[in-house]
Structures are given as structure tokens and as C-alpha cells.
Amino acid sequence: MHKIYISILLIFLAFSCDKKRNYPTDLKPTYSNFENDREQRNLFGKVKQVEWYKTVYQNDKKDGKRILNLKEKFTKFGSLKENSNYDNSGELIQNDVYEYDENDFLQKMVSTNKRAQISYVMSVYHDTMNKTSTRKVVVNDSLNQEITIFYNDKDFVIKQIAIEQNDTTIAKHEYEFNDVDKLVLERQIDIESNKPIVTNEYSYDKNGNLNHYSYKTEWTELITETVWENQRISKQTEYTITADLKKHLDQITEFDRLYNQTNTKIYENSELNRELKYEYEFDEKGNWTKREVSMKEHFANSNEFTPIYSETREIKYWE
């Protein structure tokens, strides 16, 4: 009889979990080498459009106005088609429109910021035979910048030539790989001075998962350390090294199975300042449609989380 009760309880719990999260249980996020913009945004399924709303709570009753913050449209292949950003009152700040060729390569991006009175047009020219791409940037009808990027046979960038206001900057890229052909070092070097502009370093765990990443310039180093559980990212810790050469703890973020933030600890001078907690509702594709955010103010010796805002996403799919 005892075993029967346990079985019934397990079935009930499973049913309850499925009811709360009715998306496929085998979903897995893509953490790198994204195939398209949808994947890069951690969206599942053939998303056509996302409208992102935010409600900042004015009191304990969670009163507040629901305001549109962001709208994104995607092609059937998952490339970003249009991006619109809005201010805290819901007024449009900037609109970006993207155009692609028949191979889904970016050809043109037109950006308009009416508030700043800036019109930005980037045209992209691909030369697959010579493995180059050229980007010409026009700001308010004047040619502002031209960048030519050269690739090797593995599609890694090996050189960039940037021309801006008659000044030419040339940078080369160098790479190092480990014995299983994983990238461990990347340097962007200024040709004229032969000094590194940016250095990226990567290290991996025994399963080949990236667990340490460093982005270094002449003045600053940003470090991200990643913890994996069952081949999924469960936690990331971020540090900064600046002129004092000390490693400062900035942030610790925990994630659910689908790489959504569940808890974020924010530090000031390596001391815990505040903490954010996230709770979600999901659609049947596995994308979150509502996120409740609460904050604990450690700097004020707070002992509890206070709801501060909620975000909702209205998602449309191609099919």
C-alpha cells in the first residue's frame, strides 16, 4: 500500500510540473556558435516577433503601468529583421531594419534615432571567392567608416582594415588551439605598433565545456567563470581586474535548465550590495512569457525580497 501511495504522489507531482511548465523536457539552450539571432537570444521555436513589456511596481499592491520596451522581428531563418527600442514612457527611441540576400547574409542595416536626429546606414558587401566582407557606414548622409574583414578557410577573422576620416587602422588576428582543436587564445594586434588591442583567453573542463573566459585590453580584464551541471550552465561568476591589478568580484548569476536567470548577486568593491530573484511563466515552446523580479537590498541590511517589476513577452511564431 505504501508503494502505491508513493507512485500516486509521483504521478501527481509530475502532472503538476507539466501543468506549470508544459514545454518539451528535452529542450537545451545553445551557448555558443549560434546559427542565427533567435538562438543568440535564447529563443526556442520559429519565433516571428517578440514584444517585451515592463511594469515597474509603484507600491506593495504591484500597481504600475505596462510599457512597451522592445520589439523584435525575425525572418523564417531566424535572422533579426527589425529592432525597435522604446524609453520608459513607451516612446520610440530607435528603429533598426535589416536586409539580407538570398543566402541570408546581411546586406544592409538602416538605423533611425529621431530623438538624436541620427540616421545610420550600414551596407555590407560579401566576396566569398576572396573570403572578405566590406562594411560601409554612412551617418547622416556622410561616409563615416569603411571596414574590410579578411577570413581564413575556417572562417576565422585574420585581418581588418578600418578607414575613418582618412585615418587607416590595420589589425591582424592570431589564434592558438589546444590538442583537441578548441580555441584557447585569440589576439587582435595593431599592425603599426605590433601591440595587442584585445586578448581573449579560453579554458575548458574535462567535457570540453568553456569554464573560464577572459577579455583583456591594455587597461582592463573582464573574467567570466562558468559552472556546468549535466552539460548545462548553472552558474556564472564575473570579475574585473583594473589598474590596481586586483581581482574584483562583480556578479554571480544562477540559471535554470533553459539558461534563464533565477538569482543574481551584485557586488560593489567585492562586497554584496543587492540581490535579484526571478520567477517565470513559460509557453509551450519553452520561452518565458512572464518574469517577476524581486530585490533584496543587502547594503541596507534587508532580510527579504521585495517585488520591484515584472516583464511580459508577447511572442508570435511562424508556425
Side-chain angles (χ1 to χ4, degrees):
M1 181 66 70
H2 182 65
K3 291 182 179 180
I4 294 176
Y5 283 138
I6 293 177
S7 299
I8 293 173
L9 178 61
L10 290 174
I11 292 171
F12 174 76
L13 290 174
F15 177 79
S16 299
C17 291
D18 288 343
K19 188 175 181 180
K20 184 178 180 181
R21 301 186 179 187
N22 58 348
Y23 54 79
T25 57
D26 60 348
L27 281 180
K28 188 173 182 181
T30 301
Y31 301 109
S32 61
N33 300 323
F34 306 105
E35 290 188 3
N36 52 49
D37 296 312
R38 271 197 308 245
E39 278 194 357
Q40 191 170 12
R41 285 158 174 75
N42 199 32
L43 292 169
F44 301 98
K46 294 185 177 181
V47 173
K48 183 178 183 179
Q49 177 179 295
V50 179
E51 290 184 352
W52 195 313
Y53 296 84
K54 185 174 182 179
T55 303
V56 178
Y57 298 141
Q58 304 299 320
N59 49 45
D60 293 340
K61 297 180 180 179
K62 297 184 179 181
D63 293 328
K65 186 178 180 181
R66 183 173 178 261
I67 296 174
L68 178 63
N69 278 180
L70 174 68
K71 181 188 293 186
E72 290 185 318
K73 298 179 180 179
F74 301 89
T75 67
K76 288 186 176 181
F77 300 104
S79 298
L80 185 61
K81 183 178 180 181
E82 186 173 353
N83 179 85
S84 301
N85 287 276
Y86 302 80
D87 64 16
N88 291 332
S89 64
E91 293 293 324
L92 180 64
I93 301 174
Q94 183 167 314
N95 178 254
D96 305 325
V97 178
Y98 301 81
E99 299 177 9
Y100 300 88
D101 63 17
E102 65 275 6
N103 296 312
D104 207 34
F105 288 127
L106 179 64
Q107 280 190 317
K108 190 176 184 180
M109 191 271 277
V110 179
S111 178
T112 305
N113 188 318
K114 292 184 178 180
R115 182 175 300 177
Q117 295 185 338
I118 294 176
S119 174
Y120 176 104
V121 179
M122 180 179 69
S123 301
V124 185
Y125 307 90
H126 301 278
D127 185 345
T128 55
M129 292 293 293
N130 294 307
K131 294 189 175 296
T132 65
S133 68
T134 301
R135 302 188 175 202
K136 294 184 179 181
V137 177
V138 175
V139 180
N140 291 345
D141 299 324
S142 297
L143 182 62
N144 185 262
Q145 188 183 63
E146 180 176 325
I147 302 174
T148 302
I149 303 173
F150 300 79
Y151 303 87
N152 63 14
D153 291 337
K154 294 184 177 181
D155 288 332
F156 283 98
V157 175
I158 55 175
K159 186 170 70 172
Q160 294 185 71
I161 300 176
I163 303 172
E164 186 171 359
Q165 298 179 350
N166 296 322
D167 289 333
T168 301
T169 303
I170 304 176
K172 65 178 180 179
H173 290 247
E174 296 180 345
Y175 303 91
E176 293 181 13
F177 300 85
N178 62 17
D179 54 1
V180 292
D181 205 32
K182 281 189 171 291
L183 181 65
V184 295
L185 182 67
E186 175 186 4
R187 292 191 188 95
Q188 183 181 343
I189 301 171
D190 179 72
I191 292 291
E192 185 175 353
S193 65
N194 201 35
K195 293 182 178 180
I197 303 170
V198 175
T199 301
N200 296 305
E201 296 181 357
Y202 311 82
S203 60
Y204 307 86
D205 63 19
K206 62 181 181 180
N207 296 314
N209 297 314
L210 180 68
N211 61 6
H212 181 95
Y213 168 70
S214 166
Y215 171 91
K216 186 187 302 183
T217 65
E218 183 178 359
W219 309 108
T220 305
E221 182 177 5
L222 305 177
I223 297 171
T224 301
E225 296 179 351
T226 303
V227 175
W228 296 75
E229 293 182 3
N230 299 318
Q231 295 297 95
R232 296 174 186 264
I233 292 178
S234 62
K235 183 170 72 171
Q236 288 184 317
T237 305
E238 299 174 22
Y239 302 90
T240 300
I241 299 177
T242 52
D244 62 5
L245 301 181
K246 294 181 179 179
K247 189 176 181 181
H248 299 275
L249 175 60
D250 296 326
Q251 186 167 295
I252 299 176
T253 304
E254 297 176 354
F255 301 90
D256 63 14
R257 286 174 50 83
L258 299 184
Y259 199 47
N260 299 304
Q261 300 174 70
T262 56
N263 183 277
T264 299
K265 294 182 175 69
I266 301 169
Y267 294 78
E268 299 287 346
N269 298 317
S270 295
E271 293 186 1
L272 183 58
N273 182 273
R274 57 197 185 277
E275 184 176 358
L276 300 175
K277 181 175 66 174
Y278 306 84
E279 297 179 350
Y280 296 89
E281 294 179 10
F282 299 84
D283 67 11
E284 61 183 11
K285 300 288 187 180
N287 296 309
W288 67 263
T289 54
K290 185 176 182 179
R291 176 164 70 176
E292 292 277 352
V293 183
S294 303
M295 181 170 68
K296 182 191 290 188
E297 296 178 328
H298 290 273
F299 66 87
N301 297 318
S302 174
N303 293 318
E304 59 183 25
F305 285 94
T306 301
I308 54 174
Y309 65 87
S310 68
E311 293 171 306
T312 55
R313 298 196 301 187
E314 295 184 1
I315 304 175
K316 296 179 181 179
Y317 296 89
W318 283 100
E319 56 183 42

